[in-house]
Amino acid sequence: QTGGWMTTPAGKPVAAGFGKLLDLQQEVEEGATVAAAPPPSKEVGKKVFTMDEVAKHNTKEDTWIVVKNRVYDCTDYLDLHPGGVESIVLNAGADATED
């Protein structure tokens, strides 16, 4: 067998190792109120997610994580992770950069 666990099995979508890249995550200061539109993303045409938006995706059926300010939908990849489903769901809806 070549490629190890990161190889894309037949029938699964292409990933960046974490899951399907959704787009950039924008940091929001704790306690801040949103009064104006966020500044434009450095990458034109890219969706910008707040941590509040990401936090809503915290179940096995809908698993998003943030890694280095990029948002990934890991839902379709949970069964592929060598550490098991719970090792990803533990960080669902949160920043997993340090994990």
Side-chain angles (χ1 to χ4, degrees), residues 61-97:
E61 294 76 27
D62 186 22
T63 308
W64 289 13
I65 63 170
V66 175
V67 177
K68 296 184 179 179
N69 289 331
R70 291 185 171 255
V71 180
Y72 295 89
D73 181 348
C74 300
T75 309
D76 293 339
Y77 304 90
L78 295 177
D79 293 330
L80 300 175
H81 194 272
V85 172
E86 290 303 320
S87 65
I88 299 296
V89 174
L90 178 70
N91 291 305
D95 190 323
T97 301

Side-chain angles (χ1 to χ4, degrees), residues 18 27 52:
F18 303 107
E27 293 184 27
D52 286 341

Side-chain angles (χ1 to χ4, degrees), residues 1-86:
Q1 179 180 359
T2 60
W5 73 271
M6 303 257 322
T7 302
T8 305
K12 290 290 183 180
V14 177
F18 303 107
K20 187 183 338 175
L21 175 63
L22 296 177
D23 259 309
L24 302 176
Q25 174 260 332
Q26 176 186 356
E27 293 184 27
V28 177
E29 292 181 26
E30 191 172 319
T33 57
V34 180
S41 170
K42 292 178 184 174
E43 298 183 37
V44 177
K46 300 285 184 176
K47 168 78 173 131
V48 177
F49 295 95
T50 65
M51 284 306 295
D52 286 341
E53 290 173 285
V54 173
K56 296 174 186 175
H57 302 273
N58 61 0
T59 66
K60 289 180 187 177
E61 294 76 27
D62 186 22
T63 308
W64 289 13
I65 63 170
V66 175
V67 177
K68 296 184 179 179
N69 289 331
R70 291 185 171 255
V71 180
Y72 295 89
D73 181 348
C74 300
T75 309
D76 293 339
Y77 304 90
L78 295 177
D79 293 330
L80 300 175
H81 194 272
V85 172
E86 290 303 320

